[in-house]
Amino acid sequence: MATSPRKHAVPAPGETPRRQVINDLAASINDFVPVANVTERAQLLADLAAQNPPFVPSPARPLLVYRADAPAPNRLEVNDGAGFRPVAPVGGTFVGTLNQFGQIAIPHGLDYVPTMASVVMSLDLASGTIGEDIPRDYVATVYTITAVEIRARITNIRVSTWAGNGLRVALAWTAR
């Protein structure tokens, strides 16, 4: 066996092709696999783990899938051993009300825990009333990321000033 410049397992010069060499070549091609949804993606991962030798995604050999039911910019997903995540960053804007501790939960709609998230509080809202009096030194920071939501806290906020007033803020978020 030899390795091609594209990192495929190929027969060595003069080696007689065997069935195992052809299997190794096919297994070494790291193309993306089209899947319909997360169920088919999970089945693919299980099928790959059950083959001989088993394939387990790693940084050296990631698994790439094209998931048809994912949002348009995030259909290409990668698993490098740490679970699936979109190749492109995901994000959105969320407008909500802070609780009495200056915190807000941002639902992200992903089916996994993002590896990174950041939020930025917006003071320029279309209505001109939501959060218009928020001092500019207040900053939104992430403190919890789950498979369902990102929790952010507004730092430097004087909770006593805003408690019970239903302060609404807009947060733009990104995650990977």
Side-chain angles (χ1 to χ4, degrees), residues 48-65:
L48 291 171
Q51 72 183 11
N52 189 12
F55 174 80
V56 177
S58 67
R61 291 283 320 275
L63 176 61
L64 295 163
V65 298

Side-chain angles (χ1 to χ4, degrees), residues 10-82:
V10 295
E15 180 180 5
T16 304
R18 299 168 299 156
R19 178 174 170 76
Q20 187 58 48
V21 171
I22 306 238
N23 286 346
D24 291 344
L25 170 61
S28 71
I29 298 172
N30 227 22
D31 56 349
F32 69 88
V33 180
V35 296
N37 50 40
V38 294
T39 304
E40 189 176 344
R41 185 183 71 186
Q43 185 60 52
L44 170 66
L45 197 56
D47 292 346
L48 291 171
Q51 72 183 11
N52 189 12
F55 174 80
V56 177
S58 67
R61 291 283 320 275
L63 176 61
L64 295 163
V65 298
Y66 182 86
R67 185 166 61 99
D69 71 337
N74 301 306
R75 291 190 178 133
L76 190 59
E77 298 176 328
V78 63
N79 182 337
D80 59 4

Side-chain angles (χ1 to χ4, degrees), residues 1-174:
M1 292 295 295
T3 302
S4 75
R6 295 186 66 186
K7 299 187 180 181
H8 297 154
V10 295
E15 180 180 5
T16 304
R18 299 168 299 156
R19 178 174 170 76
Q20 187 58 48
V21 171
I22 306 238
N23 286 346
D24 291 344
L25 170 61
S28 71
I29 298 172
N30 227 22
D31 56 349
F32 69 88
V33 180
V35 296
N37 50 40
V38 294
T39 304
E40 189 176 344
R41 185 183 71 186
Q43 185 60 52
L44 170 66
L45 197 56
D47 292 346
L48 291 171
Q51 72 183 11
N52 189 12
F55 174 80
V56 177
S58 67
R61 291 283 320 275
L63 176 61
L64 295 163
V65 298
Y66 182 86
R67 185 166 61 99
D69 71 337
N74 301 306
R75 291 190 178 133
L76 190 59
E77 298 176 328
V78 63
N79 182 337
D80 59 4
F84 284 98
R85 67 181 182 281
V87 172
V90 296
T93 302
F94 181 80
V95 177
T97 304
L98 294 178
N99 66 15
Q100 67 270 27
F101 305 108
Q103 302 167 356
I104 194 165
I106 304 166
H108 54 61
L110 305 172
D111 62 340
Y112 59 88
V113 178
T115 57
M116 179 277 299
S118 61
V119 275
V120 178
M121 186 168 53
S122 172
L123 298 173
D124 302 316
L125 304 171
S127 70
T129 58
I130 299 174
E132 66 183 3
D133 294 327
I134 300 172
R136 294 192 181 273
D137 61 342
Y138 291 174
V139 178
T141 58
V142 174
Y143 71 95
T144 305
I145 306 172
T146 69
V148 179
E149 66 189 9
I150 299 165
R151 288 192 173 269
R153 176 181 295 122
I154 309 303
T155 56
N156 297 333
I157 194 166
R158 294 178 301 278
V159 175
S160 61
T161 303
W162 300 105
N165 292 335
L167 176 64
R168 288 175 55 82
V169 295
L171 300 166
W173 64 274
T174 59

